[in-house]
Amino acid sequence: MSRSNAPDWVIPVMRAGYSARGLVYLILGGLTLSAAVSGGATEGTKGAVETLRSAPFGQVLLWLVALGFVCYGVWRLIAAWFDLERRGDDEEGMAKRFALVVTGLIHMALGAGIAALALGIGGSSGGGEGSGASNWTAKVLQMPGGKWIVGIAALAIFGAGVHYILKGWQKKYKRYIESNEKTRKLQPLLRWGFVSYGIVLMIVGVFLFFAALNSDPSNAKGIGGALEYIRGLTGGRFLLGFIALGIIGFGVENFVEARYRVVSGVDYDSDVKTMAQAAKAKAKQKMA
C-alpha cells in the first residue's frame, strides 16, 4: 500500500543526497574533460572521490559526501515506502519502487565505501576502478550461479542506462522539477546530462554482460573503463569531451534536483508547479 504523508525531514535528506551526487559528478566530468583535452588517463567515480581527498579540507569533504550518499540512499528508501514518485501499487509500480530500494541500498553502500576512504581504509590501489570492477566480478563468478548473477546485474545496469537516456530525451524529469526561469534555461544541459550518463551506464552493462557470457572478469569495466572505451573509438577524444560535458550536466542536474525537486506527499506551497504541470497549464490556456 502507498502511504500518503512522508515525514518533513525527508526534504533536507533528499537535498543532501542530490548535492553529494552533484559534487562527485561535477568532479568526474571535469576530470573526463581534462582527459579529453590533454590525452591523460580517464577516471571513474572512485577517481573523482579520491580527487576530493587531495583537495583542501579533503577529509571533511569526504565525510560530507559519504553522509550525502547515505542520505540519498535513505531518500530512495523513503520514496519507495511512501510512493513519493506516485508509481502505484500494481505490478509495474511495485517493480519501479523496488528499483528505488535497490538504488538506495547501492548508494548507502557507496557512502560506506567513501567513509572507509576517509578513514584511510581501502585507498588507491594499482589497478584503479577498472580493476575493482574486475575483482568483484571475479568474486561473484566463483559463487554458485555466479554467471547468472553477473548477467542479471549487467542487464540491470544496461536497463538503467536506457532509463536515463529516455528520461533525458523524453524530458521525463519535468514531472519532478519546479518550473522557474533557471530550470527552464538549464533544460538543454539537464537533458544531455541524463543522456550522457545513460550512454556510459549502457557501455558498463555491455562489458559486464560479456564478462558473464565468457566467464572472464577481465571483460568487466567500471565507469572509468567505459570512458576509456569511448576515447578509443574513431574521433574518441572529441566524443569523450562531448560526454564529459554531459557528465558535468548530470552533476548540475543533481544540484537542480537538490534545490528544485518537488516531492509529492510532503507539504508544499500550492503555487509551486513542476515543469510538466506548467507546460500542461500553458497548453490549456492556448486551447481556451
Side-chain angles (χ1 to χ4, degrees):
M1 284 290 291
S2 301
R3 281 111 181 135
S4 57
N5 296 315
D8 290 340
W9 52 261
V10 73
I11 299 299
V13 166
M14 175 203 70
R15 295 194 197 286
Y18 277 114
S19 296
R21 288 179 89 220
L23 179 60
V24 169
Y25 283 106
L26 280 180
I27 294 172
L28 176 59
L31 292 173
T32 304
L33 186 60
S34 176
V37 173
S38 68
T42 57
E43 298 283 355
T45 50
K46 184 178 180 181
V49 170
E50 289 181 340
T51 299
L52 272 176
R53 182 166 60 176
S54 62
F57 306 104
Q59 289 295 107
V60 175
L61 288 173
L62 277 183
W63 281 110
L64 289 174
V65 170
L67 178 60
F69 270 61
V70 172
C71 285
Y72 184 83
V74 171
W75 146 248
R76 300 308 269 175
L77 295 179
I78 293 174
W81 180 257
F82 289 96
D83 194 16
L84 298 182
E85 295 190 350
R86 295 297 183 257
R87 299 299 186 182
D89 295 325
D90 58 10
E91 288 186 6
E92 182 181 356
M94 293 303 291
K96 290 179 178 178
R97 290 165 69 180
F98 178 73
L100 294 180
V101 172
V102 172
T103 58
L105 294 176
I106 288 172
H107 279 82
M108 292 175 80
L110 289 172
I114 297 169
L117 192 64
L119 290 170
I121 304 170
S124 297
S125 61
E129 183 176 291
S131 176
S134 297
N135 289 342
W136 78 256
T137 303
K139 291 178 181 178
V140 176
L141 285 172
Q142 292 171 3
M143 298 167 56
K147 287 185 67 170
W148 287 100
I149 296 172
V150 174
I152 291 170
L155 292 175
I157 293 171
F158 186 88
V162 173
H163 166 76
Y164 276 108
I165 289 173
L166 292 177
K167 189 173 183 178
W169 193 259
Q170 299 177 352
K171 302 181 184 179
K172 292 183 178 181
Y173 56 84
K174 294 172 74 172
R175 292 176 55 193
Y176 310 113
I177 297 177
E178 178 184 335
S179 177
N180 57 50
E181 186 178 356
K182 291 180 181 178
T183 57
R184 288 191 292 272
K185 285 182 177 179
L186 286 170
Q187 269 210 83
L189 190 59
L190 302 185
R191 292 186 75 190
W192 182 235
F194 278 118
V195 171
S196 296
Y197 187 58
I199 290 171
V200 172
L201 286 184
M202 286 177 68
I203 294 171
V204 171
V206 168
F207 278 110
L208 188 59
F209 181 78
F210 279 108
L213 191 65
N214 301 322
S215 296
D216 184 358
S218 66
N219 289 151
K221 298 181 184 293
I223 288 178
L227 294 171
E228 188 63 36
Y229 171 77
I230 291 171
R231 182 165 60 181
L233 298 172
T234 303
R237 284 179 65 175
F238 174 78
L239 291 173
L240 188 64
F242 207 45
I243 292 292
L245 294 176
I247 294 172
I248 290 171
F250 188 67
V252 171
E253 189 281 331
N254 274 271
F255 279 114
V256 168
E257 293 220 42
R259 174 62 182 87
Y260 295 113
R261 187 177 177 106
V262 177
V263 182
S264 301
V266 178
D267 287 339
Y268 264 93
D269 186 334
S270 59
D271 292 334
V272 173
K273 288 184 173 62
T274 64
M275 298 177 80
Q277 289 171 334
K280 190 174 181 179
K282 187 175 181 179
K284 283 185 177 180
Q285 285 181 349
K286 285 185 177 181
M287 292 176 63

